Amino acid sequence: MFDFTFHNPTRIVFGKKSIAKLSALVPKKHKVLITYGGGSIKKNGVYDQVALALKDHDFIEFGGIEPNPRYETLMKAVELARKEQVRFLLSVGGGSTLDGTKFLAAAIEYTSADPWDIPTAQTQVQSALPIGCVLTLAATGSESNGYAVISRESTNEKRAFFSELCYPQFAILDPETTCTLPVSQTLNGIVDPFVHVMEQYMTYEVNAPLQDRQAEAILSTLIEEGPKVIADPNNYDARANVMWCATQALNGLIACGVPQDWATHMIGHELTALYGIDHAQSLAVVLPALLRNRREQKARKLVQFGRRIWNIDDTSEDEVMEKAIVRTEEFFQSLGMKTRLSQYGITEGLEQVGIRIEKRNEKLGEHQDILREDIDAILKLCRD
Amino acid sequence: MFDFTFHNPTRIVFGKKSIAKLSALVPKKHKVLITYGGGSIKKNGVYDQVALALKDHDFIEFGGIEPNPRYETLMKAVELARKEQVRFLLSVGGGSTLDGTKFLAAAIEYTSADPWDIPTAQTQVQSALPIGCVLTLAATGSESNGYAVISRESTNEKRAFFSELCYPQFAILDPETTCTLPVSQTLNGIVDPFVHVMEQYMTYEVNAPLQDRQAEAILSTLIEEGPKVIADPNNYDARANVMWCATQALNGLIACGVPQDWATHMIGHELTALYGIDHAQSLAVVLPALLRNRREQKARKLVQFGRRIWNIDDTSEDEVMEKAIVRTEEFFQSLGMKTRLSQYGITEGLEQVGIRIEKRNEKLGEHQDILREDIDAILKLCRD
């Protein structure tokens, strides 16, 4: 395996009624800004639980952070937080609210220039407010990492950044809060973690058998538990298992000492920016196409994936690989996901994806060998 | 699964030549105490690497910490550290040196009474010096948890304690440092983690499929990679894989939301205290006997273990369980471990184990139902 550093300081507080523990986790001495999204937390009882736990704290609120959180919206929160001298941020919602809150944490402290530098100019974050999190949708893994993805409406850009200072201090995960999610969000919570694991696992072999098996543990559990939450949204145990899979999929652990890909995400981000399809929708379309296009480079791991995850016992490795890709597609379809862009009515202008990625001089894939013509070929497979 | 909290702040720095990174990891402003064991680090080049990395630091040393570190020895280090106003501890060695160093971290600050309170009176640690660690033998998992086990020679006691303040701030894991270990220590590095996993996995079913698979990932990797390090002590990749397994086995992750047993360890600790056999030697003897004695209580997990880890495909669950126990014993034997006390010449006085555990009013097992007569029955199976 490769040399690595692993450090994940986030405290996970997992289980029923865990929101009540906020009271002891959020510092009392400073003003707190509670951030949230479209307001579902005010309907499903989560907000009331948070407000009750923080009844002796001094807090203000900022709502309306979008899915794919927007720079334009977040800058209003930056202004509010600076004015109100907020010193602690509490994100209540899913990965988008939390990603937006991570941007806030860094942007509030970044007073020397435009905070859009943070995700674009690879400006290293020098200071950030502490963040806590009540997670109501487990999908992105953001609750236990230092990554955030921010979109800018005016330029149709979607960009990521990382900082050690942006790990939440704590993340409260109460699986009950996920029981009222709409089906599309529940789907995100299965497909996004599945593809996160694939980005860190489906590369080339570096003799890291524990990391491989830890990745496979998550994949197998998502395949087993995912359909249960679709069939019965109130199945607490299945909700809990899917939620824990999502956290484990992107907390840095399975990335230790192994190569990573992330081309599916990079291409998917462009599809979201250009066509507005959900993050997980884009991933379910791109992953099978990418695997077909990169079969040769990923052969060993693709065979291992077919045998261990899908129990395909053909002797022909070609057969195993093809069947593994088909089974993965069928898994997404069985959950109710579309796997072709044409099913969303998207057939034109796809060459823009490659043009935009090339313009930013980004090299995709674990070998940095996915060039513009490869992206075009992958998107052709995505289309129909 | 059960509700849980998970928090592991240790920074892992893993790979070749990683000791050089000490220079940036150890604070320069305070006096550092380097702790070590029998002095092998002065022969195998590890000490020289540490001293070179810390050439601009102010450090003193304390060597001679024993395997199963002794209170009597450690109190001498407490005296030295207090006198020299040490404010940072750097453990260079294996789990025993590190466990001893954790005791020091708490004991140096515990000035109001006898520090033996810390492991015995369940005195909660209120303050502890920060600890860093260069690990030269991965076995106990101590490099990434807050546990320590300390022995007191004068009373033949071996006692454990835990504190959130005793997690190392960082742990440097260079697998190359393990290549010169004697075979017996290499064996400890396979058997101890294997049994750590079993204590957290081989209990009863609580619908925690990810944790089960994460545990199984470690077991399968130890079974695969363990024999390689025995066959070729210089196999870097296998050393790295075994080392990472040992850390993952006891960093709290696979314990999230599941019941735990630890009876094998508790009985094993008494055997070490009474007869002086190695920690791992005691575990390899006790585990198979405990599994036979607790077959009924552990039936579901024992069948799962047999099918998933040992690929036993008998239809009879009784057959699967029996074969799983035999295969586990054979695995220990194949590495060169003895699996019966009589092979160590230990046949008399075994009832002392149960008497001592009963006297401390400790209830063993995941159901707290392993009583003195059960311990006697387990030890009978251990004997021959």
Side-chain angles (χ1 to χ4, degrees):
Chain A
M1 72 177 91
F2 300 157
D3 297 346
F4 66 87
T5 294
F6 176 73
H7 181 226
N8 189 325
T10 301
R11 182 183 301 271
I12 303 287
V13 181
F14 192 105
K16 283 179 184 166
K17 309 291 170 231
S18 45
I19 295 175
K21 295 179 182 160
L22 266 181
S23 172
L25 290 165
V26 177
K28 280 208 176 70
K29 59 183 175 182
H30 298 305
K31 188 174 278 189
V32 177
L33 175 64
I34 297 179
T35 54
Y36 58 93
S40 60
I41 62 161
K42 299 222 169 172
K43 292 172 207 143
N44 62 14
V46 170
Y47 179 85
D48 293 339
Q49 292 180 59
V50 170
L52 181 66
L54 297 184
K55 66 183 165 41
D56 299 326
H57 286 70
D58 179 16
F59 66 84
I60 58 171
E61 302 173 17
F62 182 88
I65 297 176
E66 307 86 356
N68 304 308
R70 289 182 197 162
Y71 164 80
E72 289 84 355
T73 305
L74 295 168
M75 286 308 291
K76 292 178 195 157
V78 168
E79 201 180 328
L80 172 71
R82 285 179 182 162
K83 198 182 99 199
E84 296 280 341
Q85 299 191 297
V86 163
R87 299 309 296 161
F88 191 91
L89 304 177
L90 180 66
S91 167
V92 182
S96 291
T97 298
L98 182 52
D99 278 13
T101 306
K102 289 179 182 178
F103 176 76
L104 292 184
I108 291 164
E109 298 281 275
Y110 189 77
T111 50
S112 58
D114 182 349
W116 185 242
D117 287 355
I118 295 164
T120 54
Q122 302 305 318
T123 307
Q124 210 176 343
V125 176
Q126 299 292 336
S127 172
L129 292 188
I131 302 167
C133 154
V134 174
L135 196 72
T136 59
L137 162 58
T140 67
S142 191
E143 66 277 14
S144 186
N145 66 43
Y147 290 96
V149 183
I150 307 298
S151 296
R152 186 162 189 167
E153 202 178 11
S154 59
T155 53
N156 255 0
E157 283 176 284
K158 185 170 180 178
R159 306 295 292 275
F161 74 97
F162 169 85
S163 167
E164 283 245 358
L165 300 175
C166 287
Y167 280 78
Q169 279 188 352
F170 64 81
I172 291 187
L173 279 66
D174 178 351
E176 283 189 327
T177 64
T178 68
C179 291
T180 53
L181 286 172
V183 179
S184 65
Q185 297 277 48
T186 298
L187 278 173
N188 285 347
I190 303 164
V191 174
D192 198 15
F194 189 95
V195 180
H196 287 162
V197 176
M198 291 295 275
E199 301 276 26
Q200 299 163 87
Y201 163 77
M202 186 52 67
T203 57
Y204 54 93
E205 172 64 46
V206 293
N207 196 347
L210 179 58
Q211 292 90 321
D212 277 4
R213 289 195 176 96
Q214 287 174 321
E216 289 157 359
I218 303 171
L219 295 174
S220 293
T221 306
L222 286 169
I223 290 166
E224 192 175 86
E225 301 291 306
K228 296 182 192 171
V229 298
I230 299 295
D232 175 9
N234 291 310
N235 182 334
Y236 177 85
D237 283 339
R239 288 281 187 188
N241 290 327
V242 168
M243 196 170 208
W244 193 222
C245 280
T247 299
Q248 291 296 309
L250 202 52
N251 65 358
L253 183 67
I254 61 169
C256 287
V258 300
Q260 300 187 48
D261 181 345
W262 295 102
T264 298
H265 269 71
M266 299 310 282
I267 296 171
H269 284 175
E270 295 304 322
L271 292 172
T272 297
L274 289 167
Y275 300 100
I277 60 172
D278 271 8
H279 180 53
Q281 289 174 335
S282 76
L283 300 177
V285 166
V286 177
L287 180 69
L290 181 109
L291 293 180
R292 286 217 163 80
N293 180 274
R294 297 282 111 179
R295 249 172 87 138
E296 204 178 302
Q297 294 87 342
K298 294 177 185 294
R300 279 188 66 176
K301 292 303 273 291
L302 202 43
V303 170
Q304 181 176 318
F305 170 71
R307 297 207 190 282
R308 292 193 185 172
I309 301 299
W310 297 114
N311 301 311
I312 301 164
D313 55 7
D314 295 63
T315 46
S316 151
E317 296 201 334
D318 273 339
E319 277 296 304
V320 175
M321 287 194 276
E322 180 52 31
K323 284 184 182 171
I325 298 169
V326 169
R327 293 288 295 277
T328 304
E329 264 185 303
E330 287 172 351
F331 170 61
F332 292 153
Q333 290 160 358
S334 75
L335 296 171
M337 295 297 282
K338 295 166 182 163
T339 53
R340 292 292 184 278
L341 287 174
S342 57
Q343 295 172 302
Y344 293 104
I346 300 168
T347 52
E348 301 295 321
L350 290 168
E351 67 284 357
Q352 284 305 314
V353 172
I355 291 171
R356 287 160 59 104
I357 290 172
E358 191 182 63
K359 198 186 269 173
R360 291 203 303 273
N361 213 9
E362 283 170 8
K363 303 278 186 295
L364 305 192
E366 64 270 26
H367 298 289
Q368 289 85 52
D369 63 351
I370 301 182
L371 306 176
R372 189 168 141 193
E373 56 267 29
D374 304 301
I375 296 171
D376 288 343
I378 290 165
L379 285 165
K380 209 168 167 186
L381 292 170
C382 287
R383 202 176 53 196
D384 32 41
Chain B
M1 73 177 91
F2 301 156
D3 298 345
F4 65 86
T5 295
F6 176 73
H7 182 225
N8 189 327
T10 301
R11 183 183 299 272
I12 304 286
V13 181
F14 192 104
K16 283 179 185 166
K17 308 289 169 235
S18 46
I19 295 174
K21 295 178 182 162
L22 266 181
S23 171
L25 291 165
V26 176
K28 280 208 176 71
K29 59 184 175 184
H30 298 305
K31 189 176 277 190
V32 176
L33 176 64
I34 296 178
T35 54
Y36 59 92
S40 60
I41 62 160
K42 299 221 169 171
K43 291 172 209 142
N44 61 15
V46 170
Y47 179 86
D48 293 338
Q49 292 180 59
V50 170
L52 182 65
L54 298 184
K55 66 184 165 43
D56 298 326
H57 286 69
D58 178 16
F59 66 84
I60 58 172
E61 301 174 17
F62 183 87
I65 298 177
E66 308 85 357
N68 304 307
R70 290 183 196 160
Y71 164 80
E72 289 84 354
T73 304
L74 296 168
M75 286 308 291
K76 292 179 197 158
V78 168
E79 201 182 327
L80 173 71
R82 285 178 182 162
K83 199 183 97 199
E84 296 279 342
Q85 299 192 295
V86 163
R87 299 309 297 162
F88 191 92
L89 304 177
L90 179 67
S91 168
V92 182
S96 292
T97 298
L98 182 51
D99 278 13
T101 306
K102 289 179 182 180
F103 175 78
L104 292 184
I108 291 164
E109 298 281 275
Y110 189 77
T111 51
S112 58
D114 182 348
W116 186 240
D117 287 355
I118 296 164
T120 54
Q122 302 305 316
T123 307
Q124 210 176 342
V125 176
Q126 300 292 336
S127 172
L129 293 188
I131 301 166
C133 154
V134 174
L135 196 72
T136 58
L137 162 60
T140 67
S142 191
E143 66 277 13
S144 186
N145 66 43
Y147 291 96
V149 183
I150 306 297
S151 298
R152 186 162 188 166
E153 202 178 11
S154 58
T155 55
N156 255 1
E157 285 176 284
K158 185 170 180 177
R159 306 296 291 275
F161 73 98
F162 169 84
S163 167
E164 282 244 0
L165 301 175
C166 287
Y167 280 79
Q169 281 189 349
F170 65 81
I172 291 186
L173 279 66
D174 178 351
E176 282 189 327
T177 63
T178 68
C179 290
T180 53
L181 286 171
V183 178
S184 65
Q185 297 278 46
T186 297
L187 279 172
N188 285 346
I190 304 164
V191 174
D192 199 16
F194 189 95
V195 179
H196 287 161
V197 176
M198 292 294 275
E199 302 276 26
Q200 300 163 85
Y201 163 76
M202 185 52 65
T203 58
Y204 54 93
E205 172 64 47
V206 294
N207 196 347
L210 179 58
Q211 292 89 323
D212 278 4
R213 288 195 177 94
Q214 287 174 322
E216 289 157 358
I218 303 170
L219 295 174
S220 293
T221 306
L222 285 168
I223 291 166
E224 193 174 86
E225 300 292 304
K228 294 182 192 170
V229 297
I230 299 295
D232 175 9
N234 291 310
N235 181 334
Y236 177 86
D237 283 339
R239 288 281 185 188
N241 290 327
V242 168
M243 196 170 207
W244 192 223
C245 280
T247 298
Q248 291 296 308
L250 202 51
N251 65 357
L253 182 67
I254 61 169
C256 287
V258 300
Q260 301 186 46
D261 181 345
W262 295 101
T264 299
H265 269 71
M266 299 310 281
I267 297 170
H269 285 176
E270 294 304 322
L271 291 173
T272 298
L274 289 167
Y275 300 101
I277 60 173
D278 270 9
H279 180 52
Q281 289 174 335
S282 76
L283 301 176
V285 167
V286 177
L287 180 69
L290 181 110
L291 294 179
R292 287 217 161 79
N293 180 273
R294 297 282 112 179
R295 249 172 89 137
E296 205 177 302
Q297 294 86 343
K298 295 178 186 291
R300 278 187 66 177
K301 292 303 272 294
L302 204 42
V303 170
Q304 180 176 317
F305 170 71
R307 296 207 190 283
R308 292 193 186 172
I309 301 298
W310 297 115
N311 302 311
I312 301 164
D313 56 7
D314 294 63
T315 47
S316 151
E317 296 201 337
D318 272 339
E319 277 295 306
V320 175
M321 287 194 275
E322 180 52 32
K323 284 186 182 170
I325 298 169
V326 170
R327 293 288 296 275
T328 304
E329 264 184 304
E330 287 172 351
F331 170 60
F332 293 153
Q333 290 160 358
S334 76
L335 296 171
M337 295 297 282
K338 295 166 183 165
T339 54
R340 291 294 183 277
L341 288 173
S342 57
Q343 295 173 301
Y344 292 104
I346 299 167
T347 52
E348 301 296 321
L350 291 168
E351 66 285 356
Q352 284 305 314
V353 173
I355 292 170
R356 287 161 61 104
I357 290 172
E358 191 182 63
K359 196 186 271 174
R360 291 203 303 271
N361 212 11
E362 284 171 6
K363 303 277 185 295
L364 305 193
E366 64 270 25
H367 300 289
Q368 289 84 52
D369 63 350
I370 301 182
L371 306 176
R372 190 170 140 192
E373 56 268 29
D374 304 301
I375 296 171
D376 288 344
I378 290 164
L379 285 165
K380 209 167 167 187
L381 292 170
C382 287
R383 202 178 50 198
D384 32 41

